[in-house]
Amino acid sequence: MSTVTTEDLRRRYADLHRGGTFLIPNPYDVGSAVLLAGPLGFPALATTSSGLAATLGLDDQQVTREVLVEHVTAVCAAVDVPVQVDAEDLFPRDPGGVEHSVELLAQAGAAGVSLEDYDQSAGRVLPLDDATTRVRAAATVAHEHGMLLTVRCENFLYDAGDLHDTVTRLTAYRDAGGDVLYAPGITSEEQVRAVVGIGAPVNVLQLPGGPHVSSLRGWGVRRVSLGGALAWAAYGEMVRAAGEFAEQGTMSYADRAVSREHRDAFGRR
């Protein structure tokens, strides 16, 4: 039985952000989390809103706060590494709003949470003042628990602004208490260096055709994540395997199945 505490994991997670570049993949269920943290040896994990939604047959932004908290509780209980939570907009319309959402995720064992500035109900990026107010509220609760708050500017995902606006927003979010800056969708050296230049640890989402991790490391990025990419890769392989079964009646896909050594990680929980 592990003796590592939630406080230990939060301190470890904060230490990872003090220098260098680390990789933080995104499990979509407990099994993928166990494999990534165990035999694959990643130092921290981050949940994925789209990947979790897919496991439930839902689209992104359709998972409830209750379901997310249940998922985070299960993942944190299954691994001995820090877990960062993709909490979308932190459910501002649920009882207790953003603050209570952070509190629930802290109780679930999260080492960090993220907050994006996209208003799902309005289908647009929030006005800067409103977004900054939410950051301040989330940061207050997160810091009470020793958790890191990742602040996200969604401009590049929703085509709602330019690089200058992104830097302006992330600077304001940092000043309001954000610990890690994240602008999913940036890919060029100019974009990445502009965000790194704000002066806080930066997360970059690796995208197909985007820069190699070695380039991101050279540009000063602190951590690199994958979003829902692992989930979609896994589902893609399942679709290909099922297609072979249906069309050819064979199972050559079994040659690519996870190894017995890796499957043994499940029994060690």
Side-chain angles (χ1 to χ4, degrees):
M1 192 72 174
S2 173
T3 59
V4 66
T5 67
T6 301
E7 291 71 24
D8 291 335
L9 293 175
R10 288 172 181 163
R11 283 192 291 269
R12 188 190 305 172
Y13 192 50
D15 287 344
L16 285 170
H17 290 80
R18 300 192 196 286
T21 303
F22 69 98
L23 308 183
I24 183 167
N26 304 76
Y28 45 91
D29 60 11
V30 173
S32 57
V34 169
L35 290 174
L36 291 167
L40 294 175
F42 286 94
L45 306 177
T47 68
T48 160
S49 62
S50 66
L52 169 60
T55 69
L56 302 171
L58 299 173
D59 200 358
D60 201 10
Q61 301 178 353
Q62 293 184 340
V63 172
T64 65
R65 182 170 73 179
E66 180 181 5
V67 169
L68 175 62
V69 171
E70 181 180 357
H71 171 67
V72 172
T73 301
V75 170
C76 289
V79 300
D80 286 339
V81 300
V83 175
Q84 163 76 31
V85 178
D86 177 351
E88 298 181 334
D89 61 0
L90 278 169
F91 307 93
R93 294 165 191 83
D94 281 17
V98 165
E99 294 96 325
H100 191 53
S101 298
V102 178
E103 183 66 37
L104 290 172
L105 293 168
Q107 293 172 12
V113 296
S114 64
L115 172 60
E116 61 190 45
D117 60 3
Y118 183 72
D119 186 339
Q120 297 175 10
S121 62
R124 61 183 175 87
V125 173
L126 283 165
L128 179 58
D129 289 346
D130 293 345
T132 303
T133 296
R134 287 189 186 179
V135 169
R136 190 171 292 109
T140 297
V141 181
H143 295 163
E144 287 174 356
H145 292 280
M147 300 165 64
L148 295 186
L149 176 65
T150 295
V151 286
R152 293 178 47 150
C153 176
E154 306 296 283
N155 274 339
F156 281 84
L157 285 188
Y158 295 99
D159 226 8
D162 58 18
L163 180 58
H164 179 266
D165 184 58
T166 296
V167 170
T168 297
R169 284 174 169 272
L170 288 176
T171 300
Y173 303 162
R174 179 204 62 187
D175 293 345
D179 302 297
V180 182
L181 311 181
Y182 186 13
I186 61 173
T187 55
S188 73
E189 180 175 0
E190 177 194 9
Q191 293 165 349
V192 173
R193 286 191 182 276
V195 174
V196 169
I198 296 171
V202 171
N203 184 101
V204 167
L205 174 68
Q206 190 172 43
L207 295 168
H212 191 277
V213 168
S214 61
S215 295
L216 296 174
R217 183 178 290 113
W219 300 341
V221 170
R222 185 70 73 236
R223 73 186 198 215
V224 183
S225 61
L226 295 171
L230 293 180
W232 302 122
Y235 279 113
E237 183 62 22
M238 185 273 291
V239 168
R240 286 187 291 273
E244 178 188 340
F245 176 50
E247 296 164 15
Q248 303 175 38
T250 58
M251 54 182 303
S252 67
Y253 59 84
D255 294 338
R256 300 186 297 275
V258 68
S259 70
R260 178 76 261 178
E261 177 187 0
H262 284 166
R263 279 184 285 170
D264 285 345
F266 298 140
R268 291 196 290 270
R269 285 186 56 198

